[in-house]
Amino acid sequence: KAGVTQTPRYLIKTRGQQVTLSCSPISGHRSVSWYQQTPGQGLQFLFEYFSETQRNKGNFPGRFSGRQFSNSRSEMNVSTLELGDSALYLCASSLNTNTGELFFGEGSRLTVL
Amino acid sequence: QQQVKQSPQSLIVQKGGISIINCAYENTAFDYFPWYQQFPGKGPALLIAIRPDVSEKKEGRFTISFNKSAKQFSLHIMDSQPGDSATYFCAAKFGAGSYQLTFGKGTKLSVIP
């Protein structure tokens, strides 16, 4: 069974640009979450989607947005990039059972110059 | 914001020794406490998890000890091996209907031969 796939793996942008990151969950997983990982702040929750609906959103500015499609694939977008947005963006999927286990992808490493 | 505090930030253990990582939480509504292991260049992977109605869970060399009254839990790695060298994150899930995890800031474990 294929794992969580994130694209692109690496990207470099400049301040003010926008970026879209993509995530394909494990087949059959309907819940997708996004996390930002930085050395200083660790892993921070961005948002969670289930059946195309955002269930929760973390404490991030409105420049961060996401969506989920009917095939459970998800995208997140960051507009008007700032230097502080440089991070590893991790997508995780889950079966939405009571185990609560998240399966993470390898992440998209964003560098903002 | 619900917090999970993790210590130490880094840990060096000799091969065969016991590695101990501690976490403390604030919100008693957390209902699931997983530990994730992350190798460089990879996403976090679930190592072991516990629910608050259990005081200890063991899987191979890995044991979670949970103290509900003190709101603390810890990961013990017995007979630590160089292959265990990774960053470990404790986390907590808040309530039903969501898979949002609040993570500790991580412990970088180095097991030296």
Side-chain angles (χ1 to χ4, degrees):
Chain A
K1 204 173 197 181
V4 176
T5 304
Q6 291 188 246
T7 57
R9 289 292 315 279
Y10 303 91
L11 65 166
I12 300 173
K13 294 285 187 178
T14 57
R15 280 181 299 175
Q17 287 187 311
Q18 74 165 15
V19 66
T20 298
L21 308 177
S22 181
C23 172
S24 293
I26 293 172
S27 177
H29 287 195
R30 296 166 65 191
S31 176
V32 173
S33 304
W34 289 88
Y35 288 79
Q36 181 195 65
Q37 186 174 22
T38 59
Q41 297 300 316
L43 284 149
Q44 292 189 289
F45 172 77
L46 280 158
F47 18 67
E48 178 195 349
Y49 290 89
F50 178 75
S51 292
E52 302 178 66
T53 300
Q54 187 180 90
R55 289 206 292 203
N56 280 296
K57 188 178 191 322
N59 189 25
F60 279 83
R63 301 184 295 107
F64 291 80
S65 63
R67 58 179 176 167
Q68 186 181 32
F69 302 97
S70 58
N71 61 358
S72 294
R73 193 176 68 83
S74 178
E75 289 181 348
M76 67 163 284
N77 184 77
V78 188
S79 62
T80 320
L81 285 166
E82 300 177 359
L83 295 179
D85 297 333
S86 294
L88 181 67
Y89 290 88
L90 291 160
C91 171
S93 72
S94 64
L95 268 174
N96 201 40
T97 68
N98 210 25
T99 64
E101 179 175 3
L102 296 183
F103 294 84
F104 283 88
E106 295 190 334
S108 292
R109 176 143 329 258
L110 170 65
T111 302
V112 182
L113 302 176
Chain B
Q1 180 168 353
Q2 300 93 10
Q3 285 190 340
V4 177
K5 294 182 180 178
Q6 183 173 347
S7 63
Q9 272 189 308
S10 62
L11 182 61
I12 300 174
V13 172
Q14 286 217 307
K15 179 183 174 182
I18 302 173
S19 304
I20 301 174
I21 305 171
N22 300 300
C23 286
Y25 63 97
E26 298 174 355
N27 195 320
T28 55
F30 286 138
D31 68 349
Y32 173 76
F33 300 86
W35 285 86
Y36 281 80
Q37 179 189 54
Q38 186 177 28
F39 292 104
K42 301 293 185 183
L46 180 67
L47 189 62
I48 186 172
I50 198 167
R51 296 202 179 271
D53 53 348
V54 176
S55 61
E56 185 176 281
K57 183 174 181 181
K58 184 177 180 180
E59 289 184 1
R61 296 183 296 109
F62 301 92
T63 299
I64 300 178
S65 297
F66 190 86
N67 186 329
K68 190 174 182 178
S69 61
K71 293 188 283 187
Q72 295 175 345
F73 57 111
S74 60
L75 175 69
H76 292 61
I77 306 174
M78 312 299 288
D79 187 25
S80 299
Q81 300 296 312
D84 297 330
S85 298
T87 300
Y88 293 81
F89 295 92
C90 62
K93 183 178 82 70
F94 176 64
S98 168
Y99 290 95
Q100 176 181 342
L101 292 179
T102 300
F103 284 89
K105 293 208 170 176
T107 297
K108 186 174 182 180
L109 171 65
S110 300
V111 181
I112 54 176

PDB file of all heavy atoms in Angstrom, chain B residues 4-39:
ATOM      1  N   VAL B   4       1.972  20.762  25.400  1.00  0.00           N
ATOM      2  CA  VAL B   4       2.666  19.558  25.841  1.00  0.00           C
ATOM      3  C   VAL B   4       4.135  19.929  25.955  1.00  0.00           C
ATOM      4  O   VAL B   4       4.737  20.381  24.986  1.00  0.00           O
ATOM      5  CB  VAL B   4       2.468  18.405  24.835  1.00  0.00           C
ATOM      6  CG1 VAL B   4       3.264  17.185  25.274  1.00  0.00           C
ATOM      7  CG2 VAL B   4       0.994  18.060  24.693  1.00  0.00           C
ATOM      8  N   LYS B   5       4.668  19.768  27.158  1.00  0.00           N
ATOM      9  CA  LYS B   5       6.061  20.145  27.392  1.00  0.00           C
ATOM     10  C   LYS B   5       6.926  18.890  27.450  1.00  0.00           C
ATOM     11  O   LYS B   5       6.616  17.963  28.197  1.00  0.00           O
ATOM     12  CB  LYS B   5       6.173  20.937  28.692  1.00  0.00           C
ATOM     13  CG  LYS B   5       5.452  22.274  28.607  1.00  0.00           C
ATOM     14  CD  LYS B   5       5.606  23.081  29.872  1.00  0.00           C
ATOM     15  CE  LYS B   5       4.864  24.411  29.739  1.00  0.00           C
ATOM     16  NZ  LYS B   5       4.940  25.228  30.970  1.00  0.00           N
ATOM     17  N   GLN B   6       8.007  18.905  26.690  1.00  0.00           N
ATOM     18  CA  GLN B   6       8.857  17.725  26.533  1.00  0.00           C
ATOM     19  C   GLN B   6      10.270  18.032  26.972  1.00  0.00           C
ATOM     20  O   GLN B   6      10.795  19.107  26.703  1.00  0.00           O
ATOM     21  CB  GLN B   6       8.836  17.285  25.060  1.00  0.00           C
ATOM     22  CG  GLN B   6       9.613  16.034  24.752  1.00  0.00           C
ATOM     23  CD  GLN B   6       9.417  15.544  23.327  1.00  0.00           C
ATOM     24  OE1 GLN B   6       8.522  15.989  22.615  1.00  0.00           O
ATOM     25  NE2 GLN B   6      10.242  14.607  22.905  1.00  0.00           N
ATOM     26  N   SER B   7      10.882  17.058  27.642  1.00  0.00           N
ATOM     27  CA  SER B   7      12.276  17.199  28.049  1.00  0.00           C
ATOM     28  C   SER B   7      12.956  15.830  28.076  1.00  0.00           C
ATOM     29  O   SER B   7      12.277  14.807  28.265  1.00  0.00           O
ATOM     30  CB  SER B   7      12.352  17.846  29.443  1.00  0.00           C
ATOM     31  OG  SER B   7      11.729  17.012  30.410  1.00  0.00           O
ATOM     32  N   PRO B   8      14.269  15.776  27.885  1.00  0.00           N
ATOM     33  CA  PRO B   8      15.158  16.882  27.545  1.00  0.00           C
ATOM     34  C   PRO B   8      15.093  17.203  26.058  1.00  0.00           C
ATOM     35  O   PRO B   8      14.465  16.479  25.298  1.00  0.00           O
ATOM     36  CB  PRO B   8      16.528  16.323  27.915  1.00  0.00           C
ATOM     37  CG  PRO B   8      16.408  14.860  27.617  1.00  0.00           C
ATOM     38  CD  PRO B   8      14.995  14.487  27.973  1.00  0.00           C
ATOM     39  N   GLN B   9      15.745  18.272  25.649  1.00  0.00           N
ATOM     40  CA  GLN B   9      15.809  18.626  24.227  1.00  0.00           C
ATOM     41  C   GLN B   9      16.703  17.661  23.483  1.00  0.00           C
ATOM     42  O   GLN B   9      16.454  17.346  22.315  1.00  0.00           O
ATOM     43  CB  GLN B   9      16.370  20.044  24.072  1.00  0.00           C
ATOM     44  CG  GLN B   9      15.342  21.125  24.135  1.00  0.00           C
ATOM     45  CD  GLN B   9      15.948  22.463  23.748  1.00  0.00           C
ATOM     46  OE1 GLN B   9      16.964  22.877  24.294  1.00  0.00           O
ATOM     47  NE2 GLN B   9      15.337  23.128  22.792  1.00  0.00           N
ATOM     48  N   SER B  10      17.781  17.239  24.136  1.00  0.00           N
ATOM     49  CA  SER B  10      18.686  16.286  23.517  1.00  0.00           C
ATOM     50  C   SER B  10      19.173  15.305  24.569  1.00  0.00           C
ATOM     51  O   SER B  10      19.191  15.616  25.767  1.00  0.00           O
ATOM     52  CB  SER B  10      19.860  17.002  22.850  1.00  0.00           C
ATOM     53  OG  SER B  10      20.609  17.710  23.810  1.00  0.00           O
ATOM     54  N   LEU B  11      19.554  14.141  24.086  1.00  0.00           N
ATOM     55  CA  LEU B  11      19.898  13.046  24.996  1.00  0.00           C
ATOM     56  C   LEU B  11      20.950  12.183  24.323  1.00  0.00           C
ATOM     57  O   LEU B  11      20.792  11.805  23.153  1.00  0.00           O
ATOM     58  CB  LEU B  11      18.633  12.233  25.293  1.00  0.00           C
ATOM     59  CG  LEU B  11      18.701  11.066  26.249  1.00  0.00           C
ATOM     60  CD1 LEU B  11      19.135  11.524  27.635  1.00  0.00           C
ATOM     61  CD2 LEU B  11      17.326  10.386  26.328  1.00  0.00           C
ATOM     62  N   ILE B  12      22.008  11.918  25.046  1.00  0.00           N
ATOM     63  CA  ILE B  12      23.051  11.009  24.549  1.00  0.00           C
ATOM     64  C   ILE B  12      23.108   9.814  25.481  1.00  0.00           C
ATOM     65  O   ILE B  12      23.268   9.970  26.700  1.00  0.00           O
ATOM     66  CB  ILE B  12      24.421  11.709  24.473  1.00  0.00           C
ATOM     67  CG1 ILE B  12      24.353  12.914  23.530  1.00  0.00           C
ATOM     68  CG2 ILE B  12      25.493  10.727  23.996  1.00  0.00           C
ATOM     69  CD1 ILE B  12      25.620  13.754  23.503  1.00  0.00           C
ATOM     70  N   VAL B  13      22.966   8.633  24.905  1.00  0.00           N
ATOM     71  CA  VAL B  13      22.931   7.399  25.691  1.00  0.00           C
ATOM     72  C   VAL B  13      23.897   6.403  25.060  1.00  0.00           C
ATOM     73  O   VAL B  13      24.033   6.348  23.833  1.00  0.00           O
ATOM     74  CB  VAL B  13      21.489   6.821  25.709  1.00  0.00           C
ATOM     75  CG1 VAL B  13      21.446   5.452  26.357  1.00  0.00           C
ATOM     76  CG2 VAL B  13      20.555   7.792  26.421  1.00  0.00           C
ATOM     77  N   GLN B  14      24.542   5.643  25.894  1.00  0.00           N
ATOM     78  CA  GLN B  14      25.428   4.597  25.366  1.00  0.00           C
ATOM     79  C   GLN B  14      24.600   3.400  24.927  1.00  0.00           C
ATOM     80  O   GLN B  14      23.526   3.094  25.481  1.00  0.00           O
ATOM     81  CB  GLN B  14      26.423   4.182  26.434  1.00  0.00           C
ATOM     82  CG  GLN B  14      27.519   5.225  26.661  1.00  0.00           C
ATOM     83  CD  GLN B  14      28.860   4.583  26.931  1.00  0.00           C
ATOM     84  OE1 GLN B  14      28.949   3.739  27.812  1.00  0.00           O
ATOM     85  NE2 GLN B  14      29.893   4.987  26.208  1.00  0.00           N
ATOM     86  N   LYS B  15      25.122   2.717  23.940  1.00  0.00           N
ATOM     87  CA  LYS B  15      24.480   1.492  23.444  1.00  0.00           C
ATOM     88  C   LYS B  15      24.224   0.539  24.602  1.00  0.00           C
ATOM     89  O   LYS B  15      25.102   0.302  25.436  1.00  0.00           O
ATOM     90  CB  LYS B  15      25.382   0.832  22.401  1.00  0.00           C
ATOM     91  CG  LYS B  15      24.823  -0.464  21.824  1.00  0.00           C
ATOM     92  CD  LYS B  15      25.802  -1.089  20.844  1.00  0.00           C
ATOM     93  CE  LYS B  15      25.296  -2.455  20.378  1.00  0.00           C
ATOM     94  NZ  LYS B  15      26.249  -3.099  19.452  1.00  0.00           N
ATOM     95  N   GLY B  16      22.985   0.020  24.649  1.00  0.00           N
ATOM     96  CA  GLY B  16      22.611  -0.885  25.720  1.00  0.00           C
ATOM     97  C   GLY B  16      21.981  -0.199  26.912  1.00  0.00           C
ATOM     98  O   GLY B  16      21.404  -0.858  27.783  1.00  0.00           O
ATOM     99  N   GLY B  17      22.061   1.121  26.958  1.00  0.00           N
ATOM    100  CA  GLY B  17      21.503   1.875  28.083  1.00  0.00           C
ATOM    101  C   GLY B  17      20.012   2.134  27.917  1.00  0.00           C
ATOM    102  O   GLY B  17      19.384   1.732  26.938  1.00  0.00           O
ATOM    103  N   ILE B  18      19.459   2.816  28.904  1.00  0.00           N
ATOM    104  CA  ILE B  18      18.035   3.150  28.886  1.00  0.00           C
ATOM    105  C   ILE B  18      17.875   4.636  28.537  1.00  0.00           C
ATOM    106  O   ILE B  18      18.500   5.489  29.167  1.00  0.00           O
ATOM    107  CB  ILE B  18      17.382   2.874  30.243  1.00  0.00           C
ATOM    108  CG1 ILE B  18      17.558   1.406  30.641  1.00  0.00           C
ATOM    109  CG2 ILE B  18      15.883   3.238  30.206  1.00  0.00           C
ATOM    110  CD1 ILE B  18      17.081   1.091  32.042  1.00  0.00           C
ATOM    111  N   SER B  19      17.062   4.921  27.550  1.00  0.00           N
ATOM    112  CA  SER B  19      16.752   6.298  27.182  1.00  0.00           C
ATOM    113  C   SER B  19      15.396   6.652  27.783  1.00  0.00           C
ATOM    114  O   SER B  19      14.435   5.880  27.651  1.00  0.00           O
ATOM    115  CB  SER B  19      16.689   6.455  25.659  1.00  0.00           C
ATOM    116  OG  SER B  19      17.893   6.028  25.058  1.00  0.00           O
ATOM    117  N   ILE B  20      15.314   7.807  28.424  1.00  0.00           N
ATOM    118  CA  ILE B  20      14.061   8.224  29.053  1.00  0.00           C
ATOM    119  C   ILE B  20      13.724   9.639  28.598  1.00  0.00           C
ATOM    120  O   ILE B  20      14.549  10.555  28.732  1.00  0.00           O
ATOM    121  CB  ILE B  20      14.153   8.178  30.590  1.00  0.00           C
ATOM    122  CG1 ILE B  20      14.496   6.767  31.066  1.00  0.00           C
ATOM    123  CG2 ILE B  20      12.816   8.639  31.210  1.00  0.00           C
ATOM    124  CD1 ILE B  20      14.755   6.660  32.553  1.00  0.00           C
ATOM    125  N   ILE B  21      12.546   9.807  28.065  1.00  0.00           N
ATOM    126  CA  ILE B  21      12.060  11.114  27.608  1.00  0.00           C
ATOM    127  C   ILE B  21      10.741  11.389  28.332  1.00  0.00           C
ATOM    128  O   ILE B  21       9.887  10.503  28.414  1.00  0.00           O
ATOM    129  CB  ILE B  21      11.848  11.134  26.084  1.00  0.00           C
ATOM    130  CG1 ILE B  21      13.145  10.722  25.364  1.00  0.00           C
ATOM    131  CG2 ILE B  21      11.398  12.525  25.628  1.00  0.00           C
ATOM    132  CD1 ILE B  21      12.974  10.499  23.875  1.00  0.00           C
ATOM    133  N   ASN B  22      10.626  12.593  28.844  1.00  0.00           N
ATOM    134  CA  ASN B  22       9.467  12.944  29.656  1.00  0.00           C
ATOM    135  C   ASN B  22       8.589  14.006  29.011  1.00  0.00           C
ATOM    136  O   ASN B  22       9.100  14.896  28.329  1.00  0.00           O
ATOM    137  CB  ASN B  22       9.938  13.467  31.023  1.00  0.00           C
ATOM    138  CG  ASN B  22      10.735  12.441  31.771  1.00  0.00           C
ATOM    139  OD1 ASN B  22      10.248  11.351  32.081  1.00  0.00           O
ATOM    140  ND2 ASN B  22      11.989  12.754  32.060  1.00  0.00           N
ATOM    141  N   CYS B  23       7.299  13.906  29.242  1.00  0.00           N
ATOM    142  CA  CYS B  23       6.353  14.909  28.755  1.00  0.00           C
ATOM    143  C   CYS B  23       5.327  15.221  29.821  1.00  0.00           C
ATOM    144  O   CYS B  23       4.970  14.344  30.619  1.00  0.00           O
ATOM    145  CB  CYS B  23       5.667  14.436  27.480  1.00  0.00           C
ATOM    146  SG  CYS B  23       6.760  14.510  26.050  1.00  0.00           S
ATOM    147  N   ALA B  24       4.864  16.461  29.813  1.00  0.00           N
ATOM    148  CA  ALA B  24       3.813  16.885  30.727  1.00  0.00           C
ATOM    149  C   ALA B  24       2.759  17.652  29.937  1.00  0.00           C
ATOM    150  O   ALA B  24       3.101  18.357  28.983  1.00  0.00           O
ATOM    151  CB  ALA B  24       4.402  17.753  31.837  1.00  0.00           C
ATOM    152  N   TYR B  25       1.523  17.488  30.334  1.00  0.00           N
ATOM    153  CA  TYR B  25       0.456  18.180  29.618  1.00  0.00           C
ATOM    154  C   TYR B  25      -0.410  18.938  30.608  1.00  0.00           C
ATOM    155  O   TYR B  25      -0.343  18.726  31.817  1.00  0.00           O
ATOM    156  CB  TYR B  25      -0.380  17.187  28.804  1.00  0.00           C
ATOM    157  CG  TYR B  25      -1.105  16.148  29.638  1.00  0.00           C
ATOM    158  CD1 TYR B  25      -2.438  16.300  29.992  1.00  0.00           C
ATOM    159  CD2 TYR B  25      -0.442  14.986  30.037  1.00  0.00           C
ATOM    160  CE1 TYR B  25      -3.096  15.338  30.738  1.00  0.00           C
ATOM    161  CE2 TYR B  25      -1.088  14.023  30.789  1.00  0.00           C
ATOM    162  CZ  TYR B  25      -2.418  14.198  31.132  1.00  0.00           C
ATOM    163  OH  TYR B  25      -3.067  13.254  31.874  1.00  0.00           O
ATOM    164  N   GLU B  26      -1.241  19.810  30.066  1.00  0.00           N
ATOM    165  CA  GLU B  26      -2.060  20.666  30.925  1.00  0.00           C
ATOM    166  C   GLU B  26      -3.539  20.309  30.865  1.00  0.00           C
ATOM    167  O   GLU B  26      -4.241  20.340  31.869  1.00  0.00           O
ATOM    168  CB  GLU B  26      -1.872  22.127  30.520  1.00  0.00           C
ATOM    169  CG  GLU B  26      -0.441  22.630  30.677  1.00  0.00           C
ATOM    170  CD  GLU B  26      -0.259  24.036  30.141  1.00  0.00           C
ATOM    171  OE1 GLU B  26      -1.217  24.578  29.561  1.00  0.00           O
ATOM    172  OE2 GLU B  26       0.842  24.590  30.303  1.00  0.00           O
ATOM    173  N   ASN B  27      -4.001  19.976  29.674  1.00  0.00           N
ATOM    174  CA  ASN B  27      -5.441  19.825  29.487  1.00  0.00           C
ATOM    175  C   ASN B  27      -5.898  18.401  29.774  1.00  0.00           C
ATOM    176  O   ASN B  27      -5.482  17.459  29.108  1.00  0.00           O
ATOM    177  CB  ASN B  27      -5.808  20.212  28.053  1.00  0.00           C
ATOM    178  CG  ASN B  27      -7.284  20.437  27.874  1.00  0.00           C
ATOM    179  OD1 ASN B  27      -8.102  19.709  28.416  1.00  0.00           O
ATOM    180  ND2 ASN B  27      -7.643  21.463  27.120  1.00  0.00           N
ATOM    181  N   THR B  28      -6.754  18.241  30.753  1.00  0.00           N
ATOM    182  CA  THR B  28      -7.211  16.902  31.135  1.00  0.00           C
ATOM    183  C   THR B  28      -8.187  16.311  30.117  1.00  0.00           C
ATOM    184  O   THR B  28      -8.591  15.158  30.250  1.00  0.00           O
ATOM    185  CB  THR B  28      -7.876  16.942  32.519  1.00  0.00           C
ATOM    186  OG1 THR B  28      -8.931  17.923  32.498  1.00  0.00           O
ATOM    187  CG2 THR B  28      -6.873  17.329  33.594  1.00  0.00           C
ATOM    188  N   ALA B  29      -8.558  17.082  29.111  1.00  0.00           N
ATOM    189  CA  ALA B  29      -9.449  16.562  28.068  1.00  0.00           C
ATOM    190  C   ALA B  29      -8.703  15.774  27.002  1.00  0.00           C
ATOM    191  O   ALA B  29      -9.314  15.152  26.137  1.00  0.00           O
ATOM    192  CB  ALA B  29     -10.229  17.701  27.429  1.00  0.00           C
ATOM    193  N   PHE B  30      -7.369  15.801  27.050  1.00  0.00           N
ATOM    194  CA  PHE B  30      -6.609  14.983  26.113  1.00  0.00           C
ATOM    195  C   PHE B  30      -6.961  13.517  26.358  1.00  0.00           C
ATOM    196  O   PHE B  30      -7.004  13.057  27.505  1.00  0.00           O
ATOM    197  CB  PHE B  30      -5.101  15.178  26.300  1.00  0.00           C
ATOM    198  CG  PHE B  30      -4.582  16.486  25.784  1.00  0.00           C
ATOM    199  CD1 PHE B  30      -3.649  17.209  26.525  1.00  0.00           C
ATOM    200  CD2 PHE B  30      -4.976  16.984  24.557  1.00  0.00           C
ATOM    201  CE1 PHE B  30      -3.136  18.420  26.052  1.00  0.00           C
ATOM    202  CE2 PHE B  30      -4.473  18.186  24.075  1.00  0.00           C
ATOM    203  CZ  PHE B  30      -3.556  18.910  24.832  1.00  0.00           C
ATOM    204  N   ASP B  31      -7.172  12.757  25.276  1.00  0.00           N
ATOM    205  CA  ASP B  31      -7.619  11.380  25.459  1.00  0.00           C
ATOM    206  C   ASP B  31      -6.751  10.347  24.764  1.00  0.00           C
ATOM    207  O   ASP B  31      -7.101   9.164  24.716  1.00  0.00           O
ATOM    208  CB  ASP B  31      -9.071  11.238  24.986  1.00  0.00           C
ATOM    209  CG  ASP B  31      -9.228  11.388  23.477  1.00  0.00           C
ATOM    210  OD1 ASP B  31      -8.258  11.799  22.804  1.00  0.00           O
ATOM    211  OD2 ASP B  31     -10.325  11.105  22.971  1.00  0.00           O
ATOM    212  N   TYR B  32      -5.631  10.764  24.210  1.00  0.00           N
ATOM    213  CA  TYR B  32      -4.782   9.828  23.463  1.00  0.00           C
ATOM    214  C   TYR B  32      -3.401  10.429  23.413  1.00  0.00           C
ATOM    215  O   TYR B  32      -3.249  11.624  23.095  1.00  0.00           O
ATOM    216  CB  TYR B  32      -5.377   9.641  22.060  1.00  0.00           C
ATOM    217  CG  TYR B  32      -4.550   8.846  21.075  1.00  0.00           C
ATOM    218  CD1 TYR B  32      -4.462   7.464  21.153  1.00  0.00           C
ATOM    219  CD2 TYR B  32      -3.892   9.484  20.036  1.00  0.00           C
ATOM    220  CE1 TYR B  32      -3.730   6.739  20.230  1.00  0.00           C
ATOM    221  CE2 TYR B  32      -3.152   8.771  19.109  1.00  0.00           C
ATOM    222  CZ  TYR B  32      -3.084   7.402  19.206  1.00  0.00           C
ATOM    223  OH  TYR B  32      -2.359   6.686  18.294  1.00  0.00           O
ATOM    224  N   PHE B  33      -2.383   9.617  23.746  1.00  0.00           N
ATOM    225  CA  PHE B  33      -1.027  10.138  23.883  1.00  0.00           C
ATOM    226  C   PHE B  33      -0.071   9.265  23.077  1.00  0.00           C
ATOM    227  O   PHE B  33       0.398   8.236  23.542  1.00  0.00           O
ATOM    228  CB  PHE B  33      -0.621  10.158  25.361  1.00  0.00           C
ATOM    229  CG  PHE B  33      -1.509  11.020  26.210  1.00  0.00           C
ATOM    230  CD1 PHE B  33      -2.678  10.518  26.753  1.00  0.00           C
ATOM    231  CD2 PHE B  33      -1.185  12.355  26.433  1.00  0.00           C
ATOM    232  CE1 PHE B  33      -3.509  11.319  27.528  1.00  0.00           C
ATOM    233  CE2 PHE B  33      -2.005  13.161  27.209  1.00  0.00           C
ATOM    234  CZ  PHE B  33      -3.165  12.646  27.756  1.00  0.00           C
ATOM    235  N   PRO B  34       0.251   9.692  21.856  1.00  0.00           N
ATOM    236  CA  PRO B  34       1.176   8.914  21.029  1.00  0.00           C
ATOM    237  C   PRO B  34       2.602   9.457  21.110  1.00  0.00           C
ATOM    238  O   PRO B  34       2.831  10.619  21.464  1.00  0.00           O
ATOM    239  CB  PRO B  34       0.620   9.130  19.617  1.00  0.00           C
ATOM    240  CG  PRO B  34       0.020  10.499  19.666  1.00  0.00           C
ATOM    241  CD  PRO B  34      -0.452  10.720  21.089  1.00  0.00           C
ATOM    242  N   TRP B  35       3.530   8.619  20.785  1.00  0.00           N
ATOM    243  CA  TRP B  35       4.919   9.016  20.595  1.00  0.00           C
ATOM    244  C   TRP B  35       5.267   8.761  19.133  1.00  0.00           C
ATOM    245  O   TRP B  35       4.964   7.695  18.593  1.00  0.00           O
ATOM    246  CB  TRP B  35       5.851   8.210  21.497  1.00  0.00           C
ATOM    247  CG  TRP B  35       5.810   8.622  22.927  1.00  0.00           C
ATOM    248  CD1 TRP B  35       4.947   8.180  23.879  1.00  0.00           C
ATOM    249  CD2 TRP B  35       6.675   9.561  23.568  1.00  0.00           C
ATOM    250  NE1 TRP B  35       5.214   8.786  25.078  1.00  0.00           N
ATOM    251  CE2 TRP B  35       6.277   9.640  24.917  1.00  0.00           C
ATOM    252  CE3 TRP B  35       7.754  10.345  23.150  1.00  0.00           C
ATOM    253  CZ2 TRP B  35       6.905  10.462  25.852  1.00  0.00           C
ATOM    254  CZ3 TRP B  35       8.383  11.161  24.067  1.00  0.00           C
ATOM    255  CH2 TRP B  35       7.962  11.220  25.402  1.00  0.00           C
ATOM    256  N   TYR B  36       5.934   9.749  18.535  1.00  0.00           N
ATOM    257  CA  TYR B  36       6.367   9.629  17.157  1.00  0.00           C
ATOM    258  C   TYR B  36       7.890   9.663  17.089  1.00  0.00           C
ATOM    259  O   TYR B  36       8.556  10.339  17.872  1.00  0.00           O
ATOM    260  CB  TYR B  36       5.781  10.752  16.296  1.00  0.00           C
ATOM    261  CG  TYR B  36       4.344  10.502  15.893  1.00  0.00           C
ATOM    262  CD1 TYR B  36       3.300  10.747  16.779  1.00  0.00           C
ATOM    263  CD2 TYR B  36       4.037   9.997  14.632  1.00  0.00           C
ATOM    264  CE1 TYR B  36       1.988  10.508  16.412  1.00  0.00           C
ATOM    265  CE2 TYR B  36       2.731   9.747  14.259  1.00  0.00           C
ATOM    266  CZ  TYR B  36       1.711  10.003  15.159  1.00  0.00           C
ATOM    267  OH  TYR B  36       0.410   9.752  14.796  1.00  0.00           O
ATOM    268  N   GLN B  37       8.416   8.926  16.112  1.00  0.00           N
ATOM    269  CA  GLN B  37       9.859   8.862  15.876  1.00  0.00           C
ATOM    270  C   GLN B  37      10.111   9.444  14.493  1.00  0.00           C
ATOM    271  O   GLN B  37       9.412   9.095  13.522  1.00  0.00           O
ATOM    272  CB  GLN B  37      10.303   7.392  15.932  1.00  0.00           C
ATOM    273  CG  GLN B  37      11.767   7.131  15.677  1.00  0.00           C
ATOM    274  CD  GLN B  37      12.036   5.628  15.534  1.00  0.00           C
ATOM    275  OE1 GLN B  37      11.420   4.954  14.725  1.00  0.00           O
ATOM    276  NE2 GLN B  37      12.948   5.108  16.336  1.00  0.00           N
ATOM    277  N   GLN B  38      11.104  10.316  14.400  1.00  0.00           N
ATOM    278  CA  GLN B  38      11.403  10.932  13.120  1.00  0.00           C
ATOM    279  C   GLN B  38      12.894  10.833  12.813  1.00  0.00           C
ATOM    280  O   GLN B  38      13.731  11.292  13.590  1.00  0.00           O
ATOM    281  CB  GLN B  38      10.967  12.400  13.087  1.00  0.00           C
ATOM    282  CG  GLN B  38      11.128  13.058  11.724  1.00  0.00           C
ATOM    283  CD  GLN B  38      10.626  14.495  11.700  1.00  0.00           C
ATOM    284  OE1 GLN B  38      10.642  15.180  12.719  1.00  0.00           O
ATOM    285  NE2 GLN B  38      10.168  14.956  10.541  1.00  0.00           N
ATOM    286  N   PHE B  39      13.197  10.249  11.662  1.00  0.00           N
ATOM    287  CA  PHE B  39      14.567  10.200  11.173  1.00  0.00           C
ATOM    288  C   PHE B  39      14.779  11.361  10.205  1.00  0.00           C
ATOM    289  O   PHE B  39      13.818  11.854   9.586  1.00  0.00           O
ATOM    290  CB  PHE B  39      14.838   8.863  10.473  1.00  0.00           C
ATOM    291  CG  PHE B  39      14.831   7.689  11.411  1.00  0.00           C
ATOM    292  CD1 PHE B  39      13.750   6.824  11.454  1.00  0.00           C
ATOM    293  CD2 PHE B  39      15.901   7.443  12.253  1.00  0.00           C
ATOM    294  CE1 PHE B  39      13.725   5.741  12.319  1.00  0.00           C
ATOM    295  CE2 PHE B  39      15.895   6.368  13.128  1.00  0.00           C
ATOM    296  CZ  PHE B  39      14.802   5.516  13.163  1.00  0.00           C
TER     297      PHE B  39
END
